[in-house]
Amino acid sequence: MQRLIDAFFNSVRAFRKLAVSEKAFQQELMLLALALPLGWFVSISWRGYALLIGAVLLLIMVEVLNTGIEAACDAFSREFNVDIQLAKDCGSLAVLISVIIVAGVWGIAIIERITGLPI
């Protein structure tokens, strides 16, 4: 049980650090704050609402992992290294893919709401 408690406090520490210092994380938290009420009006079901919020949470999770990759790479070396560049670029690509997923999920939900037809 102590490991779970310690893990929770480690997670809270990471959340605070990212919320204070990482612009992308701050932007995604703002997106989540907007998505929570907006998703209620856009979705046509509880499942749809969960999918809308889950997509934004997925984006935040991938951003956290990308930040971790960048921090680990920077801790190893700040000098240019082709392998470190690839690791950072892959993390960035993962964030981009997550943004595309969010846009697609929200786009489909908005179309469903406007047309009244489930897609």
Side-chain angles (χ1 to χ4, degrees), residues 15 18 24-25 27-33 54-66 98 102:
F15 181 89
L18 294 177
F25 187 73
Q27 291 171 347
E28 290 157 2
L29 287 179
M30 294 289 283
L31 179 64
L32 179 62
V56 175
L57 290 173
L58 173 76
L59 171 62
I60 292 171
M61 180 179 66
V62 172
E63 182 64 50
V64 168
L65 294 172
N66 181 46
S98 298
V102 169

Side-chain angles (χ1 to χ4, degrees), residues 42-113:
V42 170
S43 66
I44 58 175
S45 69
W46 281 104
R47 280 182 293 198
Y49 181 73
L51 184 60
L52 291 172
I53 302 308
V56 175
L57 290 173
L58 173 76
L59 171 62
I60 292 171
M61 180 179 66
V62 172
E63 182 64 50
V64 168
L65 294 172
N66 181 46
T67 302
I69 290 168
E70 289 178 353
C73 289
D74 290 344
F76 179 73
S77 174
R78 292 197 181 260
E79 294 181 19
F80 178 79
N81 179 300
V82 70
D83 295 326
I84 289 175
Q85 181 185 20
L86 178 61
K88 288 183 172 187
D89 289 349
C90 287
S92 180
L93 175 60
V95 172
L96 176 61
I97 292 168
S98 298
V99 168
I100 292 168
I101 291 170
V102 169
V105 167
W106 277 80
I108 290 170
I110 290 168
I111 290 170
E112 281 184 340
R113 172 55 78 185

